Amino acid sequence: EVHLVESGGGLVQPGRSLRLSCEASGFTFDDFAMHWVRQAPGKGLEWVAGISWKGANIDYADSVKGRFTISRDNSRNSLYLQMNSLRPNDTALYYCAKDTRSLPDGGLSNWGQGTLVTVSS
Amino acid sequence: DIQITQSPSSLSASVGDRVTITCRASQTILSYLHWYQQKPGKAPNLLVSMASRLQNGVPSRFTASGSGRDFTFTISSLQLEDFATYYCEQSYSTPRTFGHGTRVEIK
């Protein structure tokens, strides 16, 4: 069974940094693209970033480009999101999600339970 | 960026009703359109990928179709457990974009 467990969220002041992690199990991690998707309280879903199976293809939402960095360590079955220069409107529940394909262009078949990031002074 | 217009934003329906949700993309996305169900306090769940591929374990009362710009998602006979918010999402180009969601409520 696929399991995705996010960690690293918390309360942070505007302008500071945070690093999210996602530990994967139950599937061959390096066969699949992975993504981060966020959901602000009471709002809809927003794709944040995606990375292909080997990490060669990486893309970001315009709202986080230049501030966030997605990465993966296939030897550790782990996905990461380094978030710098955080803003109050980055406040959201951040989900790690598994793609159905090796390139980041398929449906998101499995999701973690999310880690909450709150940006506030 | 590709915009996705999902409608309606909400609907009220009764158990046994047929429910249809549509998504229109601002440009062609071929079949790179996926449908998710999200219940309160839970992560989204992929129901349909690539416009019409029902995921394993998803009941056959859920169907979806479309290609190009226009897509349809149908629940043929609404069940109690189907009351939730549904999202479509395009993955044809980055940034990937979601529709704003359709909240299906009990009438």
Side-chain angles (χ1 to χ4, degrees):
Chain A
E1 185 182 357
V2 173
H3 279 291
L4 299 170
V5 180
E6 302 95 337
S7 61
L11 174 63
V12 62
Q13 293 180 325
R16 302 299 290 262
S17 299
L18 213 53
R19 189 193 196 210
L20 305 184
S21 299
C22 171
E23 187 171 330
S25 61
F27 67 102
T28 305
F29 183 71
D30 55 7
D31 277 353
F32 295 94
M34 297 292 295
H35 302 262
W36 289 99
V37 177
R38 68 185 181 184
Q39 187 167 36
K43 302 296 185 183
L45 300 168
E46 180 187 17
W47 176 82
V48 173
I51 185 168
S52 60
W53 60 316
K54 295 293 189 190
N57 299 80
I58 289 176
D59 287 296
Y60 299 95
D62 294 342
S63 57
V64 307
K65 202 172 290 184
R67 299 187 300 123
F68 290 11
T69 302
I70 188 172
S71 62
R72 64 190 296 161
D73 184 340
N74 287 346
S75 68
R76 296 177 183 270
N77 288 351
S78 293
L79 177 73
Y80 306 101
L81 186 67
Q82 177 67 42
M83 305 186 296
N84 298 333
S85 304
L86 281 161
R87 304 167 179 168
N89 61 7
D90 292 319
T91 294
L93 186 63
Y94 283 73
Y95 291 106
C96 163
K98 171 188 168 291
D99 204 297
T100 54
R101 298 157 70 114
S102 58
L103 293 179
D105 61 357
L108 305 182
S109 59
N110 301 86
W111 300 61
Q113 285 308 298
T115 186
L116 183 62
V117 173
T118 304
V119 184
S120 174
S121 53
Chain B
D1 298 2
I2 295 175
Q3 308 303 316
I4 300 290
T5 303
Q6 183 174 346
S7 59
S9 57
S10 66
L11 64 90
S12 295
S14 301
V15 172
D17 283 354
R18 182 182 182 89
V19 166
T20 297
I21 301 168
T22 63
C23 282
R24 168 167 276 194
S26 57
Q27 64 186 75
T28 184
I29 56 171
L30 302 181
S31 294
Y32 288 83
L33 192 285
H34 320 293
W35 293 96
Y36 303 86
Q37 177 192 66
Q38 187 178 31
K39 296 183 178 180
K42 299 293 186 183
N45 180 39
L46 177 66
L47 300 180
V48 175
S49 67
M50 301 305 285
S52 61
R53 297 179 193 169
L54 204 65
Q55 296 302 287
N56 289 343
V58 176
S60 59
R61 64 180 180 273
F62 295 98
T63 58
S65 64
S67 66
R69 293 182 59 198
D70 293 304
F71 301 85
T72 300
F73 174 83
T74 299
I75 308 172
S76 60
S77 178
L78 198 65
Q79 301 301 300
L80 266 179
E81 59 268 30
D82 302 336
F83 290 95
T85 300
Y86 294 84
Y87 295 91
C88 60
E89 182 213 15
Q90 70 81 20
S91 63
Y92 177 74
S93 70
T94 55
R96 297 171 67 127
T97 43
F98 287 89
H100 286 112
T102 296
R103 186 171 178 176
V104 176
E105 299 174 318
I106 301 173
K107 184 183 259 185

PDB file of all heavy atoms in Angstrom, chain A residues 14 28 40 43 69 95 108 115:
ATOM      1  N   PRO A  14       6.974  35.890   8.354  1.00  0.00           N
ATOM      2  CA  PRO A  14       7.189  36.284   6.957  1.00  0.00           C
ATOM      3  C   PRO A  14       8.663  36.547   6.681  1.00  0.00           C
ATOM      4  O   PRO A  14       9.380  37.106   7.528  1.00  0.00           O
ATOM      5  CB  PRO A  14       6.368  37.570   6.827  1.00  0.00           C
ATOM      6  CG  PRO A  14       5.310  37.440   7.864  1.00  0.00           C
ATOM      7  CD  PRO A  14       5.952  36.713   9.013  1.00  0.00           C
ATOM      8  N   THR A  28       7.721   1.734  -5.860  1.00  0.00           N
ATOM      9  CA  THR A  28       9.084   2.015  -6.323  1.00  0.00           C
ATOM     10  C   THR A  28       9.193   3.512  -6.566  1.00  0.00           C
ATOM     11  O   THR A  28       8.789   4.021  -7.618  1.00  0.00           O
ATOM     12  CB  THR A  28       9.401   1.212  -7.590  1.00  0.00           C
ATOM     13  OG1 THR A  28       9.174  -0.174  -7.330  1.00  0.00           O
ATOM     14  CG2 THR A  28      10.851   1.417  -7.990  1.00  0.00           C
ATOM     15  N   ALA A  40      -5.024  26.453   0.734  1.00  0.00           N
ATOM     16  CA  ALA A  40      -5.221  27.463   1.767  1.00  0.00           C
ATOM     17  C   ALA A  40      -6.516  27.160   2.522  1.00  0.00           C
ATOM     18  O   ALA A  40      -7.425  26.540   1.959  1.00  0.00           O
ATOM     19  CB  ALA A  40      -5.269  28.853   1.156  1.00  0.00           C
ATOM     20  N   LYS A  43     -10.111  27.032   0.941  1.00  0.00           N
ATOM     21  CA  LYS A  43      -9.961  27.328  -0.486  1.00  0.00           C
ATOM     22  C   LYS A  43      -9.735  26.062  -1.306  1.00  0.00           C
ATOM     23  O   LYS A  43      -9.730  24.951  -0.770  1.00  0.00           O
ATOM     24  CB  LYS A  43      -8.771  28.283  -0.688  1.00  0.00           C
ATOM     25  CG  LYS A  43      -8.890  29.596   0.076  1.00  0.00           C
ATOM     26  CD  LYS A  43     -10.060  30.427  -0.388  1.00  0.00           C
ATOM     27  CE  LYS A  43     -10.092  31.775   0.304  1.00  0.00           C
ATOM     28  NZ  LYS A  43     -11.292  32.568  -0.098  1.00  0.00           N
ATOM     29  N   THR A  69      12.042  25.496  -3.842  1.00  0.00           N
ATOM     30  CA  THR A  69      12.825  24.524  -4.591  1.00  0.00           C
ATOM     31  C   THR A  69      12.356  23.119  -4.239  1.00  0.00           C
ATOM     32  O   THR A  69      12.374  22.735  -3.061  1.00  0.00           O
ATOM     33  CB  THR A  69      14.323  24.653  -4.280  1.00  0.00           C
ATOM     34  OG1 THR A  69      14.761  25.984  -4.589  1.00  0.00           O
ATOM     35  CG2 THR A  69      15.129  23.651  -5.102  1.00  0.00           C
ATOM     36  N   TYR A  95       0.368  19.307   0.560  1.00  0.00           N
ATOM     37  CA  TYR A  95       0.282  17.878   0.285  1.00  0.00           C
ATOM     38  C   TYR A  95       1.424  17.435  -0.623  1.00  0.00           C
ATOM     39  O   TYR A  95       1.758  18.130  -1.595  1.00  0.00           O
ATOM     40  CB  TYR A  95      -1.014  17.553  -0.458  1.00  0.00           C
ATOM     41  CG  TYR A  95      -2.288  17.709   0.312  1.00  0.00           C
ATOM     42  CD1 TYR A  95      -3.151  18.783   0.066  1.00  0.00           C
ATOM     43  CD2 TYR A  95      -2.687  16.767   1.248  1.00  0.00           C
ATOM     44  CE1 TYR A  95      -4.354  18.916   0.735  1.00  0.00           C
ATOM     45  CE2 TYR A  95      -3.900  16.884   1.923  1.00  0.00           C
ATOM     46  CZ  TYR A  95      -4.721  17.964   1.655  1.00  0.00           C
ATOM     47  OH  TYR A  95      -5.917  18.084   2.321  1.00  0.00           O
ATOM     48  N   LEU A 108      -2.707  12.599 -10.198  1.00  0.00           N
ATOM     49  CA  LEU A 108      -2.055  12.461  -8.891  1.00  0.00           C
ATOM     50  C   LEU A 108      -2.787  11.372  -8.120  1.00  0.00           C
ATOM     51  O   LEU A 108      -3.851  11.613  -7.544  1.00  0.00           O
ATOM     52  CB  LEU A 108      -2.066  13.803  -8.162  1.00  0.00           C
ATOM     53  CG  LEU A 108      -1.450  14.953  -8.967  1.00  0.00           C
ATOM     54  CD1 LEU A 108      -1.443  16.250  -8.166  1.00  0.00           C
ATOM     55  CD2 LEU A 108      -0.062  14.607  -9.467  1.00  0.00           C
ATOM     56  N   THR A 115       0.853  18.715   5.543  1.00  0.00           N
ATOM     57  CA  THR A 115       1.512  19.370   6.659  1.00  0.00           C
ATOM     58  C   THR A 115       1.176  20.854   6.578  1.00  0.00           C
ATOM     59  O   THR A 115       1.252  21.456   5.502  1.00  0.00           O
ATOM     60  CB  THR A 115       3.033  19.116   6.660  1.00  0.00           C
ATOM     61  OG1 THR A 115       3.612  19.657   7.840  1.00  0.00           O
ATOM     62  CG2 THR A 115       3.728  19.710   5.438  1.00  0.00           C
TER      63      THR A 115
END
